[in-house]
Amino acid sequence: MERESDYRERLKKSGLKYTKHRTAILAILAQSEPPLAAEQIYLALRERGLPANLSTVYRTIETLAEKNLLKKRSLIGDSRVLFEYNRAHHSHYLVCLGCKKMLPIRRCPLGDYEEKLERETNYTIAGHNLDVYGYCPDCREKGHRGN
Amino acid sequence: MERESDYRERLKKSGLKYTKHRTAILAILAQSEPPLAAEQIYLALRERGLPANLSTVYRTIETLAEKNLLKKRSLIGDSRVLFEYNRAHHSHYLVCLGCKKMLPIRRCPLGDYEEKLERETNYTIAGHNLDVYGYCPDCREKGHRGN
DNA sequence: TTTACTGCAAACGGTTTGCAAAAGG
DNA sequence: CCTTTTGCAAACCGTTTGCAGTAAA
């Protein structure tokens, strides 16, 4: 787990000023396994005793994503944009269509596919987005009704 | 290429009434390689001389997606929902971060990964969503500025 | 003739923006 | 100080909804 000074360092390297909100947002996302939406981050900040305006949250996460400290994601059937701490090793999710739970898939099934695709297409590959959808055992028993 | 009567048949099988708009929307999406957003479909309908209200377009594509005649998609950095004709063999896209062009990837790199994941997790897998992002040769030369 | 579909206009929800005040370096 | 960041309120934009009228079966 990273300390506050680590986040401070990261912000500095990205040419961003240090603020309590930015540090807290980085910490919140670093400690959250699943990606979070702006409002969830907003609520988490309140819980930490560092309430911020919603628009500040939006601006901050957008800035952090531009600097590649965070990654943007989105799920089918959810109009919100989700943000995830940009970890060294990326992870995918198996999303339950019933209860929306996100089960991390630690090993990326693509392997060295990106390099292969790069050679085949002559594109410069930047990354990929993969989510698998299905029903968890609980929701399947409940007849796909979800939570 | 399918004929109007084919679409009519599909609608009937799904318990949906036949309307010119629905048929046209199916045809528009069947003929479009990349997925389209509601407004693009709305415009394509006007071009075909079958103008429909935007809310009708939204309602129709949602209905068709529920019946699995269409598939929903979404791309990072685009808040719109895209709709794609549900073809027998699914396809992924290599999306240029510069010009947003979508290059179809015909062979799914996941192979039989879903079955493997199903056994490992005891979930019932319904499908997956995969997009690869990068820069096409043109945009790379322009220094990632895009169009 | 009953049920499903459509158009219209208004509402909605997540996100963005302009501006003045506050805080970081 | 000078520049960035923040709060606030209003705008934005893609999407959804209620309702009355119209078309399919």
Side-chain angles (χ1 to χ4, degrees):
Chain A
M1 168 169 168
E2 308 193 54
R3 292 189 319 281
E4 174 158 334
S5 58
D6 296 322
Y7 298 126
R8 191 164 200 151
E9 188 59 26
R10 276 179 195 246
L11 290 170
K12 197 170 185 179
K13 272 189 188 158
S14 301
L16 297 175
K17 287 189 175 177
Y18 161 89
T19 72
K20 288 189 172 174
H21 287 149
R22 284 182 175 166
T23 312
I25 288 175
L26 285 175
I28 286 165
L29 286 168
Q31 287 158 28
S32 171
E33 173 78 65
L36 302 179
E39 181 144 30
Q40 299 173 286
I41 296 168
Y42 168 81
L43 293 173
L45 284 169
R46 303 209 88 234
E47 278 177 24
R48 293 193 173 217
L50 276 174
N53 191 280
L54 232 199
S55 69
T56 299
V57 174
Y58 275 108
R59 272 192 280 232
T60 303
I61 54 188
E62 190 61 42
T63 303
L64 295 175
E66 276 167 17
K67 300 297 185 181
N68 280 310
L69 299 183
L70 302 180
K71 282 196 298 189
K72 279 191 186 184
R73 313 184 106 273
S74 65
L75 297 180
I76 290 173
D78 185 348
S79 62
R80 301 171 310 170
V81 177
L82 306 182
F83 288 82
E84 177 176 38
Y85 192 71
N86 195 356
R87 305 180 199 330
H89 41 284
H90 73 271
S91 152
H92 300 297
Y93 296 91
L94 174 47
V95 184
C96 177
L97 292 166
C99 62
K100 311 299 179 193
K101 189 174 53 187
M102 299 176 75
L103 182 71
I105 298 171
R106 295 232 161 56
R107 207 176 108 64
C108 173
L110 290 192
D112 57 359
Y113 176 71
E114 288 192 353
E115 292 87 76
K116 186 170 157 255
L117 192 63
E118 203 158 53
R119 285 193 298 274
E120 282 176 6
T121 62
N122 194 29
Y123 274 51
T124 302
I125 308 292
H128 62 269
N129 197 221
L130 167 66
D131 297 292
V132 185
Y133 295 87
Y135 292 93
C136 70
D138 279 0
C139 289
R140 180 176 50 222
E141 279 169 25
K142 291 177 195 152
H144 288 188
R145 263 181 276 105
N147 59 351
Chain B
M1 169 169 167
E2 308 193 52
R3 292 188 318 281
E4 174 157 333
S5 58
D6 295 320
Y7 298 126
R8 190 164 200 149
E9 187 60 26
R10 276 178 195 246
L11 291 170
K12 197 171 184 178
K13 273 189 188 158
S14 302
L16 297 175
K17 288 189 174 174
Y18 161 88
T19 71
K20 288 190 172 174
H21 287 149
R22 285 183 175 167
T23 312
I25 287 175
L26 284 176
I28 287 164
L29 286 169
Q31 286 158 28
S32 171
E33 172 78 66
L36 302 178
E39 180 143 31
Q40 297 172 288
I41 297 168
Y42 168 81
L43 293 173
L45 284 169
R46 303 210 87 234
E47 277 176 25
R48 292 192 173 218
L50 277 173
N53 191 280
L54 232 200
S55 67
T56 299
V57 174
Y58 276 108
R59 272 192 279 234
T60 304
I61 54 188
E62 190 61 42
T63 303
L64 295 174
E66 276 166 17
K67 300 295 185 181
N68 279 311
L69 298 181
L70 302 180
K71 282 196 298 190
K72 279 189 186 184
R73 310 185 107 274
S74 65
L75 296 180
I76 290 172
D78 184 348
S79 63
R80 302 171 310 170
V81 177
L82 306 181
F83 288 81
E84 176 176 40
Y85 192 71
N86 194 357
R87 305 170 209 287
H89 40 285
H90 74 271
S91 152
H92 300 295
Y93 296 91
L94 174 48
V95 185
C96 177
L97 292 166
C99 62
K100 311 299 179 192
K101 189 174 54 188
M102 298 177 74
L103 182 71
I105 298 172
R106 295 232 161 57
R107 207 175 108 64
C108 174
L110 290 193
D112 57 0
Y113 176 71
E114 288 192 353
E115 291 88 75
K116 186 171 157 255
L117 192 62
E118 203 158 53
R119 286 193 298 275
E120 281 176 7
T121 62
N122 193 29
Y123 273 52
T124 302
I125 309 290
H128 61 268
N129 197 224
L130 167 66
D131 297 293
V132 185
Y133 294 87
Y135 293 93
C136 69
D138 280 1
C139 289
R140 181 176 49 222
E141 279 169 26
K142 291 177 194 150
H144 290 187
R145 260 181 277 104
N147 61 349

